[in-house]
């Protein structure tokens, strides 16, 4: 017995507030052929800037949720903000990253595509799973390294202690 299709009917995208917020945060200031937004500028405030702009970006995610965007697309949007915050807090390099990585513009695109029916939830789930695997590796690899270092140190101290006892 097959599972019923959960395909949603396309809905026209109509959220000028979310679009305006994404524009303000990501591209409201033109500098020659480039554009930057408040996300990059406010992100220059150490520690607080990236958190503030990502909280503002969460408004786009909340509006997408209220509009019925698929869960996988919402998780992808949250991951975009997480990437923006994670790299944005790195001094200097993170500030440059903030100017280039336009998480809110990406989120508006996901929001629009999800409502219009042009976005495959499987693609978003794949991205979310990839992010989770990378985060788990980032957590597990240092723990494994720590274990190996402690094991190496203890084996060297143990062999040195045995040699000292045998020489006495």
């Amino acid at each position: 017995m097959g599972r019923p299709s959960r395909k949603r009917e396309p809905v026209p995208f109509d959220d000028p507030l979310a679009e305006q917020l994404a524009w303000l945060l990501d591209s409201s200031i033109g500098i020659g052929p480039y554009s930057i937004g408040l996300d990059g500028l406010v992100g220059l405030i150490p520690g607080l800037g990236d958190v503030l702009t990502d909280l503002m970006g969460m408004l786009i995610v909340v509006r997408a949720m209220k509009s019925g965007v698929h869960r996988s697309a919402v998780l992808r949007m949250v991951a975009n903000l997480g990437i923006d915050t994670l790299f944005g807090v790195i001094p200097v390099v993170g500030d440059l990253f903030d100017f280039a990585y336009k998480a809110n513009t990406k989120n508006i695109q996901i929001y629009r595509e999800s409502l219009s029916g042009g976005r495959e939830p499987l693609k978003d789930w794949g991205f979310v799973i990839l992010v989770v695997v990378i985060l788990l590796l980032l957590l597990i690899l240092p723990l494994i390294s720590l274990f190996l270092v402690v094991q190496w140190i203890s084996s060297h101290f143990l062999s040195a202690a045995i040699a000292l006892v045998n020489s006495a």
Side-chain angles (χ1 to χ4, degrees):
M1 189 173 212
R3 205 171 149 185
S5 175
R6 296 185 72 198
K7 187 86 172 162
R8 297 181 181 163
E9 289 296 317
V11 176
F13 179 81
D14 184 31
D15 194 343
L17 177 66
E19 284 184 308
Q20 191 71 21
L21 184 58
W23 172 82
L24 181 68
L25 290 170
D26 289 346
S27 33
S28 57
I29 303 165
I31 301 174
Y34 305 103
S35 63
I36 61 171
L38 293 180
D39 186 17
L41 292 175
V42 176
L44 292 171
I45 301 169
L48 186 62
D50 292 302
V51 174
L52 285 175
T53 56
D54 282 342
L55 285 174
M56 291 169 45
M58 276 304 292
L59 180 60
I60 296 169
V61 177
V62 169
R63 294 179 69 83
M65 288 171 56
K66 286 184 178 181
S67 295
V69 168
H70 195 278
R71 282 187 198 126
S72 62
V74 169
L75 287 173
R76 174 92 186 244
M77 293 168 76
V78 170
N80 282 338
L81 290 175
I83 291 167
D84 187 48
T85 302
L86 184 67
F87 288 103
V89 297
I90 301 169
V92 183
V93 174
D95 296 325
L96 295 174
F97 181 83
D98 254 349
F99 286 116
Y101 188 76
K102 308 213 180 276
N104 300 294
T105 301
K106 292 175 190 304
N107 286 348
I108 284 293
Q109 181 181 355
I110 292 169
Y111 185 1
R112 183 179 288 119
E113 289 174 358
S114 184
L115 286 181
S116 71
R119 187 156 196 94
E120 287 296 322
L122 188 59
K123 177 181 169 185
D124 292 320
W125 280 122
F127 179 80
V128 169
I129 290 169
L130 177 67
V131 168
V132 168
V133 167
I134 289 171
L135 290 174
L136 286 174
L137 286 174
L138 288 172
L139 178 69
I140 291 170
L141 288 177
L143 293 175
I144 291 172
S145 299
L146 179 64
F147 173 76
L148 292 174
V149 167
V150 167
Q151 187 179 26
W152 180 81
I153 289 172
S154 66
S155 70
H156 279 74
F157 279 126
L158 184 59
S159 62
I162 291 172
L164 185 64
V165 168
N166 288 338
S167 68

